[in-house]
């Protein structure tokens, strides 16, 4: 089951656009703060936080579609 869930998560992540994946990777895997992410994106920390929030919403929606029984 864990491998199945991992595969579904990976597929859902790949369904996101590159910028969404970048923001989530920076925040969740690399542990970067919004200021650091903002510098990478050339935007404000508030915008980086919003992008992260929206990327998570899209990831949840993609997972929900994939995991419907």
């Amino acid at each position: 089951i864990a491998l199945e869930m991992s595969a579904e998560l990976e597929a859902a992540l790949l369904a996101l656009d590159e910028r969404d994946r970048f923001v989530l990777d920076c925040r969740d895997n690399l542990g970067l703060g919004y200021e650091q992410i903002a510098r990478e994106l050339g935007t404000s920390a508030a915008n980086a936080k919003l992008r992260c929030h929206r990327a998570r919403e899209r990831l949840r929606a993609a997972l929900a579609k994939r995991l419907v029984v």
Side-chain angles (χ1 to χ4, degrees):
I1 293 177
L3 287 176
E4 257 182 60
M5 293 299 289
S6 179
E8 293 297 333
L9 177 58
E10 185 175 346
L13 281 166
L14 290 173
L16 298 177
D17 68 33
E18 186 177 342
R19 187 167 283 218
D20 284 348
R21 286 193 308 272
F22 175 78
V23 170
L24 291 176
D25 185 47
C26 286
R27 184 70 180 159
D28 297 334
N29 295 331
L30 302 176
L32 297 183
Y34 295 118
E35 289 289 337
Q36 293 168 301
I37 296 169
R39 278 194 296 274
E40 291 293 322
L41 294 174
T43 190
S44 69
N47 189 272
K49 186 174 182 178
L50 180 61
R51 284 180 188 263
C52 190
H53 173 74
R54 289 183 177 162
R56 283 193 181 112
E57 285 181 334
R58 286 188 278 273
L59 179 59
R60 277 188 211 101
L63 280 171
K65 284 182 187 177
R66 298 188 67 78
L67 298 176
V68 171
V69 179

